Amino acid sequence: MTASASRAIKARALGLGFSAVGIARVEPLEAHARYEADPAQILPGVRAVVCVALCYEPEVDPEHARRLGRVARYAVGEDYHRVLRHKLAGLELEIERLLPGASTLWYADTGAILERGWAERAGVGWIGKHSGLLAPHLGSWFVLGEILVDRELDADPPLEREHCGTCTRCLDACPTGAIVAPYQVDARRCISYLTIEHDGAIPRELRRSIGEWVFGCDVCQERALDGWTLERLLALDGPGFIVLFAGSPIRRAGRAGLLRNVCVALGNRGDRRSIPALARAAVEDPDPVVRGHACWALGEIGARLDPRAPERMELAAALERALGDPAAEVREEARLAGGDLERAGGLRPATSP
Ligand code: SF4
């Protein structure tokens, strides 16, 4: 029953237009130092937290910024928290219908519980070194909401924090040095805090670093996902795909389906910097559909590549190896890609006269 109710709740959440959903279990008498307020203080007997994310449009109008200063993207245009609250109320009704007699309570942006902590625990994303929630499949721009439920539900596995690896882009980019150590933000230096929450004078030594921000700051959030590229997605293995896209509708595409699409996108983008990742996928990916589409993408990039470009060697070597692939469809893709390349100036880099 808990499994089918959990599945139904998550399907309904995605149907309502949420971008991702996950469920965290609340153990009885659990200590909640990390997640701040104890949810049992808010809803007695709470056993699960349904966490949702809603993406918003990251449109930035440079002319608007020039006239009115820089404003955090979530605060530009439509009130996304209002949209979120409306959808949360709909999902709450659905949960009460699925679990007759259950008590529920939804939250969004009230500060009563640490939203990103619960979202991380529910597998929606992971907390990055800038202390914000990261989820590459959602992009950078989303708001979070929660529904507390006093019933047992199947919990989703949390993502691993190691996704950040050695990356320190967010720390390096912070204009005021507010990220004093990984996962540690000094709010007194943070532009978001200073421009939204702080009363009174802004410390003189920080004013120049604030630049033109007049409400919030997006710098660390913008930089935090810079490292996630289509090429990096190509390196995802099966378990990595499941973890990364937990709670996302993208998971429906399956690993092979998504990576196939990534190959097409990279081929159409035509950037020579994609060649190493595609060459690896063309030869090593476990799925023949991905290997075949990687060959196609290499052919597309190669056809636009300068005949003297050194990358041509790596590209040609991958296609030659793919000609010996055990799967006939991969050999055919490699043959067609090689043919396109020959017509576009040869498989090997042209030697200088
Ligand atoms: S919001 Fe801006 S000031 Fe605050 S930690 Fe991020 S980059 Fe630094």
Side-chain angles (χ1 to χ4, degrees), residues 115-345:
E115 298 189 303
R116 57 182 183 271
W118 285 102
E120 180 185 48
R121 185 159 154 171
V124 172
W126 74 92
I127 294 178
K129 292 177 183 174
H130 63 323
S131 293
L133 196 78
L134 292 173
H137 61 289
L138 299 179
S140 272
W141 315 104
F142 52 87
V143 285
L144 296 171
E146 306 76 37
I147 300 179
L148 278 52
V149 186
D150 70 345
R151 294 290 173 85
E152 295 257 357
L153 290 171
D154 272 12
D156 292 292
L159 303 189
E160 290 161 16
R161 182 171 281 191
E162 284 63 41
H163 278 296
C164 284
T166 55
C167 174
T168 57
R169 282 183 175 87
C170 61
L171 281 88
D172 303 338
C174 176
T176 55
I179 311 175
V180 292
Y183 313 108
Q184 226 180 298
V185 175
D186 181 349
R188 295 163 305 176
R189 300 186 67 84
C190 174
I191 298 170
S192 265
Y193 172 80
L194 288 169
T195 56
I196 299 174
E197 314 282 351
H198 177 72
D199 289 329
I202 290 177
R204 290 177 67 86
E205 68 275 16
L206 294 176
R207 290 180 197 168
R208 286 193 179 134
S209 308
I210 288 173
E212 295 187 30
W213 290 104
V214 296
F215 189 87
C217 166
D218 286 333
V219 173
C220 56
Q221 203 179 338
E222 271 167 0
R223 296 308 311 276
L225 284 179
D226 278 359
W228 281 88
T229 59
L230 285 178
E231 289 83 356
R232 198 163 162 192
L233 287 182
L234 263 191
L236 272 182
D237 59 10
F241 173 83
I242 290 169
V243 166
L244 198 58
F245 294 104
S248 162
I250 293 176
R251 196 164 160 183
R252 218 178 303 148
R255 175 194 173 275
L258 180 71
L259 268 58
R260 173 203 64 188
N261 302 344
V262 166
C263 289
V264 173
L266 287 174
N268 289 331
R269 181 188 279 173
D271 188 332
R272 64 168 72 177
R273 287 171 298 185
S274 307
I275 290 174
L278 284 166
R280 202 177 325 108
V283 175
E284 294 176 10
D285 195 276
D287 195 289
V289 171
V290 178
R291 295 200 300 277
H293 282 69
C295 290
W296 178 85
L298 287 170
E300 291 297 299
I301 296 173
R304 283 176 255 173
L305 203 58
D306 185 319
R308 284 161 302 185
E311 293 91 344
R312 224 173 167 77
M313 192 72 94
E314 183 177 10
L315 193 155
L319 288 181
E320 274 180 17
R321 282 187 68 187
L323 284 171
D325 194 282
E329 76 238 52
V330 179
R331 294 198 297 273
E332 178 63 1
E333 291 277 9
R335 189 185 67 74
L336 291 170
D340 290 345
L341 269 186
E342 284 291 359
R343 282 187 289 283

